[in-house]
């Protein structure tokens, strides 16, 4: 996945990870879309990941 671009995003991702939340970012260069989720079924996690990495969908 694409790396966070700013220190603020990195800190926010680290805090979210500590809270048990997963962050998926769009891999397209310059795209700032990300999706966070916690405690979802595997099928829903797959759908949310598809939304985050499918640049044409957002």
């Amino acid at each position: 996945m694409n790396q966070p671009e700013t220190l603020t995003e990195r800190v926010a991702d680290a805090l979210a990870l500590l809270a048990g939340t997963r962050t998926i970012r769009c891999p397209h260069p310059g795209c700032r879309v990300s999706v966070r989720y916690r405690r979802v079924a595997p099928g829903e996690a797959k759908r949310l990941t598809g939304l985050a990495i499918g640049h044409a969908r957002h």
Side-chain angles (χ1 to χ4, degrees), residues 1-2 24-28 33 35 46-58:
M1 296 299 132
N2 200 15
I24 307 295
R25 296 187 175 280
C26 179
H28 191 271
V33 171
V35 173
K46 186 176 180 179
R47 186 186 77 79
L48 292 171
T49 299
L51 285 172
I53 65 173
H55 186 70
R57 297 178 73 183
H58 56 264

Side-chain angles (χ1 to χ4, degrees):
M1 296 299 132
N2 200 15
Q3 294 295 320
E5 294 184 14
T6 66
L7 179 60
T8 303
E9 289 173 330
R10 288 176 186 239
V11 170
D13 287 352
L15 291 173
L17 186 60
L18 289 172
T21 303
R22 174 138 182 176
T23 304
I24 307 295
R25 296 187 175 280
C26 179
H28 191 271
C31 184
R32 307 285 302 231
V33 171
S34 66
V35 173
R36 285 196 177 144
Y37 62 85
R38 174 177 45 175
R39 298 182 188 155
V40 299
E44 181 67 2
K46 186 176 180 179
R47 186 186 77 79
L48 292 171
T49 299
L51 285 172
I53 65 173
H55 186 70
R57 297 178 73 183
H58 56 264

